[in-house]
Amino acid sequence: MVEKGTYRVKKGMASMQKGGVIMDVTTAEEAIIAEKSGAVAVMALEKVPADIRAGGGVARMADPVVIEEIMSAVSIPVMAKARIGHFVEAKILESLEIDYIDESEVLTPADERYHIDKHKFNVPFVCGARNLGEALRRVGEGAAMLRTKGEAGTGNVVEAVKHMRTVMSDIRKVVNMPDDELMTEAKELGAPYELLKEVKEQGRLPVVNFAAGGVATPADAALMMHLGADGVFVGSGIFKSGNPEKRAEAIVEAATNYEDYSHLAEVSKNLGEAMVGINISDIDDEQRMQDRGW
Amino acid sequence: MDVNIGVLAFQGAIDEHLDMLNKCNVKAIKVKKVEDLDEINGLILPGGESTTIGSFLERKNMIEPIKKFAKKGYPVMGTCAGLVLLAKQVEGQDKAFLQLMNITVRRNAFGRQKDSFESYLDIPEIGKEEFKGVFIRAPLITRTGDKVKKLCSVDGKIVAAREENLIVGAFHPELTDDIRWHKYFVNMSKYA
């Protein structure tokens, strides 16, 4: 008997992406560059986060035409973003046979209270999180992969670092906690108890966790791997830089060889202009994408 | 005899294979460079993205050393993307990577991720009991050379095969708790 869309095949898909780099692309040409550079998947978008930020207004799911062009251009998996809580956008993406849906705070949320019930889908979901409680709530809703939120479209890695450190230190705390403290911890984190128990037993999150939001250089990617990321999402960092081909390949190299510093030095050379970064303190509270979702 | 098994460790489900090898009580080693091949008696090419892993093999100049390793008679196992890497031919592509095994493969043969599936498999070579096959954007084998032995099929499609010291599967044994497939490979490595 054949069973499709099981949680095991959804989670398994994320496992196959480990150690890799997932790149935001807006055209078939960019997708091909990403695939050639060694990306393990691409995120099909109309605008990269930096342009969403600059453009303002309501950011929605991309035009299916853009998504389909990208899907037919590459053989690696293609992901696309739906607004938080917008289960119809997600169903549309599923009907396009997208390989993964990102329920993403980079788009304007459609629901201020509820995320999508992801168990109802055959395709896997990735969701953003800033701490262990948020991560496990998303897994409880059926997310098969997580990514830290960072602050997308800034080219500034500081928030990605903060979120990864928070998640990892939350995990270490739970691992060292006696069993009789777990229920209260679950209540305080707002995390499902069973999942928290699993984290304690396994010493890690129940699903793969990538770093995202502000990764712009090979060193940024390697830093996130050192902090415990299973892989890296790069958004605006590649196609907003001077030499996307070279930078894309360098970031792929860095995610795999993150402990080899002389190699990191080599791949960091002559990459041209990095994307111009934004300081987090220069972004008004209401413009901060990471605060969307809960 | 001590057996060390290597797992090619550029990208993909590396830790899962290392865990399975530990459960088989053999020493598992991450293989990232040519010298690492000197330490091992068998090599696993894990699941992941074949284009990504393949480009690392080229950039690190590991294509020829792995070919040499296999030609010395050491066992090599390919899982999903690893199967694609070992194949002589890949449908629709001019290029194949290691070209060690006399098979032709079709990538993403069962469809996109929404068609990924689990199914019980009959693999007599590893035992009577059915084996849980986890297929993720899986390839299949569309042609087999003379010396290639079919080990398992799904709906008449070949999803596992062996040619002398080379063994491939389109499914992911490392995502289950069943260690028989890995045990089988460890045994091949013991007598290499």
Side-chain angles (χ1 to χ4, degrees):
Chain A
M1 199 189 69
V2 167
E3 271 187 288
K4 288 186 183 178
T6 61
Y7 196 52
R8 199 203 305 252
V9 303
K10 291 185 197 172
K11 260 173 72 166
M13 163 74 180
S15 296
M16 296 312 135
Q17 309 271 288
K18 281 196 296 183
V21 179
I22 299 172
M23 300 178 191
D24 279 356
V25 296
T26 56
T27 62
E29 292 72 41
E30 287 179 357
I32 291 165
I33 292 172
E35 183 173 47
K36 278 200 182 132
S37 75
V40 290
V42 291
M43 180 77 72
L45 285 162
E46 239 157 26
K47 290 181 191 164
V48 291
D51 289 333
I52 292 174
R53 187 177 286 289
V58 175
R60 310 178 182 91
M61 177 190 85
D63 186 330
V65 170
V66 172
I67 296 170
E68 281 178 338
E69 279 171 5
I70 291 168
M71 283 169 68
S72 56
V74 292
S75 67
I76 53 176
V78 180
M79 304 180 163
K81 290 182 194 288
R83 281 179 265 177
I84 289 173
H86 207 315
F87 53 85
V88 172
E89 282 188 348
K91 281 287 176 192
I92 291 171
L93 292 174
E94 184 174 55
S95 81
L96 292 172
E97 306 201 348
I98 200 84
D99 295 300
Y100 234 98
I101 297 171
D102 185 354
E103 186 178 16
S104 178
E105 69 282 356
V106 171
L107 305 182
T108 311
D111 194 317
E112 293 189 322
R113 194 163 165 78
Y114 303 109
H115 283 250
I116 298 169
D117 176 6
K118 294 164 273 285
H119 293 293
K120 286 188 179 151
F121 289 75
N122 249 351
V123 289
F125 273 73
V126 55
C127 286
R130 289 162 298 180
N131 54 54
L132 184 58
E134 198 175 0
L136 295 182
R137 286 195 291 281
R138 299 292 85 81
V139 175
E141 292 158 359
M145 181 179 185
L146 293 163
R147 51 171 177 73
T148 51
K149 286 185 171 174
E151 187 60 39
T154 60
N156 186 341
V157 80
V158 64
E159 296 298 287
V161 168
K162 182 161 94 188
H163 300 157
M164 188 57 73
R165 282 207 181 269
T166 305
V167 170
M168 298 311 278
S169 101
D170 289 350
I171 292 171
R172 284 190 290 269
K173 187 177 157 203
V174 169
V175 167
N176 291 311
M177 190 173 275
D179 286 343
D180 53 11
E181 293 179 9
L182 269 187
M183 186 58 87
T184 300
E185 183 69 10
K187 178 191 155 216
E188 278 165 12
L189 289 174
Y193 172 73
E194 292 300 329
L195 290 176
L196 202 62
K197 229 171 100 183
E198 204 182 316
V199 169
K200 179 169 157 56
E201 280 157 13
Q202 304 291 324
R204 58 156 295 142
L205 287 166
V207 301
V208 167
N209 182 30
F210 272 40
V215 174
T217 67
D220 287 349
L223 173 65
M224 298 316 299
M225 297 300 286
H226 276 277
L227 292 175
D230 292 313
V232 181
F233 279 89
V234 188
S236 323
I238 289 174
F239 292 102
K240 287 283 157 194
S241 74
N243 188 343
E245 285 91 347
K246 207 168 172 195
R247 186 167 296 263
E249 196 176 306
I251 291 177
V252 168
E253 282 282 335
T256 296
N257 301 295
Y258 62 93
E259 290 168 316
D260 184 344
Y261 299 105
S262 59
H263 190 68
L264 289 175
E266 270 318 300
V267 302
S268 299
K269 285 177 184 168
N270 295 316
L271 293 181
E273 197 83 17
M275 75 175 280
V276 179
I278 305 175
N279 282 318
I280 302 302
S281 56
D282 293 340
I283 303 172
D284 293 338
D285 284 355
E286 61 270 27
Q287 300 301 324
R288 289 170 61 148
M289 293 170 173
Q290 60 176 289
D291 297 333
R292 302 166 175 175
W294 37 88
Chain B
M1 175 189 141
D2 276 351
V3 178
N4 299 338
I5 307 281
V7 179
L8 189 69
F10 293 130
Q11 187 273 316
I14 299 153
D15 295 336
E16 289 83 348
H17 276 293
L18 295 170
D19 283 350
M20 292 302 261
L21 292 169
N22 288 331
K23 283 183 194 157
C24 294
N25 294 317
V26 291
K27 198 173 164 203
I29 293 170
K30 286 189 188 178
V31 172
K32 279 193 168 192
K33 49 187 193 305
V34 176
E35 301 87 88
D36 297 333
L37 295 170
D38 299 338
E39 312 292 318
I40 57 173
N41 314 75
L43 174 66
I44 295 177
L45 311 176
E49 286 305 320
S50 59
T51 38
T52 309
I53 302 172
S55 66
F56 272 114
L57 285 176
E58 284 176 342
R59 278 182 225 159
K60 307 283 171 188
N61 297 316
M62 286 188 74
I63 300 269
E64 285 309 316
I66 291 177
K67 280 183 163 175
K68 239 187 230 167
F69 179 82
K71 282 178 181 155
K72 275 187 211 155
Y74 290 119
V76 180
M77 170 169 117
T79 302
C80 194
L83 180 163
V84 177
L85 294 170
L86 279 174
K88 201 146 250 176
Q89 280 161 331
V90 183
E91 283 185 10
Q93 280 180 210
D94 301 334
K95 193 166 107 178
F97 288 97
L98 293 163
Q99 299 175 36
L100 273 166
M101 192 163 173
N102 195 6
I103 53 172
T104 303
V105 306
R106 184 180 302 156
R107 293 178 60 202
N108 303 337
F110 295 90
R112 303 193 72 99
Q113 172 61 16
K114 76 165 183 42
D115 299 305
S116 292
F117 64 98
E118 291 182 41
S119 175
Y120 280 102
L121 306 174
D122 190 23
I123 315 176
E125 206 86 2
I126 62 164
K128 272 189 205 152
E129 249 177 80
E130 288 184 314
F131 189 84
K132 184 53 131 347
V134 183
F135 293 81
I136 297 168
R137 286 168 47 91
L140 69 81
I141 299 166
T142 53
R143 182 195 62 84
T144 54
D146 293 343
K147 289 180 186 159
V148 179
K149 186 179 178 195
K150 299 162 198 172
L151 297 182
C152 172
S153 51
V154 170
D155 297 334
K157 298 165 180 163
I158 307 164
V159 292
R162 178 173 173 175
E163 182 180 23
E164 293 167 341
N165 56 326
L166 307 171
I167 179 168
V168 290
F171 48 87
H172 291 279
E174 78 282 9
L175 297 181
T176 68
D177 298 322
D178 194 336
I179 62 169
R180 287 179 294 160
W181 182 262
H182 284 82
K183 268 240 155 95
Y184 181 80
F185 181 68
V186 169
N187 276 329
M188 283 170 65
S189 309
K190 271 184 188 159
Y191 302 108

